[in-house]
Structures are given as C-alpha cells and as structure tokens.
C-alpha cells in the first residue's frame, strides 16, 4: 500500500508537470506608461480584436494558445500604427516604441525569425519597386504613354521577383506557416500552376492552417475560372 501511494503521488506530479502548449507574450513599450494593447486580425476588410490587455508601467502580457502559428497585429491605444507578429506557442518577447512601431523587436518566435529573413531578402526589391512606381506616377501625370507602359512593366517585374522569393521561402520551409501566409496575403499575383506547386510542397502538418486552407480555396476558384 505504501508503494501504491508513492506511485500515485509520482503520477500526479508527472501529470501536473505536463503543461499544455501556450504562448506568453511579454511586451515593453517606450513612450506609454499606461493604456491598452491589442492583438488584432484583418478579416473581410475589417479589424477584429482577438485579445486585449492592460499596459502598466510600460509593460504588458498576452497569454493564450494556438493550434498552429498565426499572424496577429499588435496595436496600442492612441497609436495610429500596428506591428505584424507571428504568434506561436512559445515565450515571446516584444520591445516597442510608440513612435516607431514598424521597428519593434521580437524574439522567441521561430516563425518571426523566418519572416525577418524574408524581409531582408525583399528590402532591396521593395526600394527599386518604389522608385519605379514613383516614375510611373509622374509619367501618368504627364500623360506620357510610353513611360507609363515602361515603368508599369518594371514595377510588375519586381512584384514577380518578390513572388519568387515567397515561393522559395514556402518550398524550403514546408513545416512553417510563414510561406503560406505570404502566399495568401499576395495570392492575386500567383497563377494556378504557381499555387499548385506551392501547395504540394507544404507539409501535411499544416493542413489545418488558415493560410493553407485559403490557398486551397484560391486554387479551386482559379480552376473554376479556367
């Protein structure tokens, strides 16, 4: 009976040590002492609050759990900006400045690290595309049809270049939601064959990801159009 009690005690201790997967986001913000922070998503052209928490002495905490990593947009009361965060079941640290939300620092999210790598790859492409777009606008204002066609073509080529990077990220990281998210957010620029090659490379562990589901839905729409 003594040994039975010991075994039961050990079993209870083991069970209590097994924690459910969850995320904890520890945030600090410079420039705001007290207020409210939100985790939002963009659905159907509208912003939807998924979670909110109080900012106290420049610090805030979000807690929750997700089946698979998902994108959330961090928003702060009285700040007219937001920051994209890949939330996953891990301990994530956020450092934010109210005057430069786009430069927030995130650690603890493997998905965010991959997203950072993607941004590094496309920064130079974005800069060149911006120059082409400015030239396109000037040509349009001047009514210069030749230059309108020229710079529109150049800007489109940069879009395609970024599309290649997105596909590459997806194919090389089949178990990450980062690629599927990027493809979904820019699905308008992908042909049916592109999406079919991408979806075939994604690991089945992501079948329930909202981004993978959306890619499949887009594929069905394009098939019907064809």
């Amino acid at each position: 009976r003594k040994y039975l009690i010991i075994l039961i005690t050990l079993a209870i201790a083991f069970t209590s040590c097994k924690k459910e997967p969850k995320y904890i986001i520890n945030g600090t913000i410079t420039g705001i002492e007290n207020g409210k922070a939100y985790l939002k998503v963009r659905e159907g052209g509208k912003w939807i609050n998924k979670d909110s928490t109080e900012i106290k002495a420049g610090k805030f905490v979000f807690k929750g759990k997700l089946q698979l990593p998902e994108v959330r947009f961090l928003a702060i009361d009285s700040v007219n900006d937001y920051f994209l965060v890949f939330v996953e079941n891990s301990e994530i640290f956020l450092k934010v400045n109210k005057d430069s939300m786009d430069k927030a620092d995130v650690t603890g999210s493997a998905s965010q690290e991959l997203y950072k790598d993607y941004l590094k790859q496309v920064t130079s492409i974005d800069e060149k595309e911006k120059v082409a777009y400015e030239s396109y606008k000037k040509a349009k204002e001047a009514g210069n049809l030749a230059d309108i066609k020229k710079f529109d073509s150049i800007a489109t080529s940069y879009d395609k270049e970024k599309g290649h990077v997105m596909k590459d990220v997806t194919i090389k990281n089949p178990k990450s939601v980062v690629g599927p998210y990027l493809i979904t957010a820019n699905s308008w620029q992908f042909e049916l064959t592109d999406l079919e090659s991408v979806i075939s490379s994604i690991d089945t562990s992501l079948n329930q990801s909202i981004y993978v589901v959306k890619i499949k839905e887009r594929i069905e729409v394009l098939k019907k159009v064809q």
Side-chain angles (χ1 to χ4, degrees):
R1 190 175 291 178
K2 180 181 177 182
Y3 292 116
L4 180 61
I5 292 171
I6 292 172
L7 286 172
I8 292 171
T9 304
L10 288 172
I12 292 170
F14 177 75
T15 303
S16 64
C17 287
K18 287 178 70 179
K19 296 179 180 178
E20 279 190 16
K22 63 181 180 180
Y23 64 80
I24 301 175
I25 301 176
N26 296 296
T28 58
I29 181 165
T30 302
I32 293 179
E33 281 294 304
N34 300 292
K36 214 160 189 182
Y38 304 87
L39 290 179
K40 300 188 175 191
V41 294
R42 187 78 170 167
E43 291 180 3
K46 296 180 180 179
W47 287 107
I48 298 171
N49 290 337
K50 285 290 187 178
D51 199 0
S52 63
T53 189
E54 296 292 329
I55 300 171
K56 295 179 180 179
K59 295 182 179 181
F60 58 91
V61 178
F62 288 103
K63 293 182 180 180
K65 60 181 179 180
L66 291 169
Q67 184 179 356
L68 290 166
E70 289 185 18
V71 165
R72 295 287 185 267
F73 292 91
L74 174 72
I76 307 292
D77 262 348
S78 75
V79 178
N80 189 27
D81 204 353
Y82 54 80
F83 182 74
L84 184 155
V85 185
F86 277 90
V87 179
E88 57 188 39
N89 292 327
S90 63
E91 188 169 14
I92 300 168
F93 297 90
L94 263 172
K95 290 183 180 178
V96 187
N97 188 309
K98 80 174 185 69
D99 297 322
S100 53
M101 289 280 286
D102 61 318
K103 294 181 175 62
D105 181 57
V106 185
T107 55
S109 166
S111 300
Q112 192 79 20
E113 291 304 316
L114 181 56
Y115 181 63
K116 287 180 188 177
D117 289 340
Y118 161 76
L119 291 178
K120 287 177 185 176
Q121 291 182 66
V122 299
T123 295
S124 61
I125 304 173
D126 281 333
E127 289 171 353
K128 289 184 285 188
E129 185 176 23
K130 185 179 178 181
V131 172
Y133 182 64
E134 289 300 321
S135 298
Y136 168 81
K137 284 200 301 182
K138 288 178 182 177
K140 199 169 183 181
E141 288 168 4
N144 188 329
L145 296 178
D147 277 356
I148 289 173
K149 186 176 180 180
K150 173 186 173 182
F151 290 113
D152 181 51
S153 177
I154 291 172
T156 299
S157 71
Y158 289 136
D159 266 337
K160 288 181 178 178
E161 193 175 343
K162 286 193 289 185
H164 289 311
V165 177
M166 292 176 208
K167 285 174 62 181
D168 194 49
V169 168
T170 308
I171 292 167
K172 287 183 177 178
N173 302 276
K175 293 186 178 182
S176 172
V177 301
V178 175
Y181 166 75
L182 293 170
I183 298 292
T184 299
N186 300 275
S187 61
W188 54 271
Q189 71 181 69
F190 293 100
E191 303 283 343
L192 175 59
T193 51
D194 293 322
L195 296 180
E196 286 180 329
S197 67
V198 159
I199 206 72
S200 66
S201 71
I202 297 172
D203 192 83
T204 55
S205 62
L206 298 184
N207 280 351
Q208 302 304 312
S209 167
I210 57 173
Y211 312 119
V212 173
V213 170
K214 285 181 179 179
I215 293 173
K216 290 179 178 177
E217 288 173 352
R218 178 67 175 165
I219 287 173
E220 290 309 310
V221 168
L222 292 180
K223 281 181 178 179
K224 287 177 182 177
V225 171
Q226 283 197 341

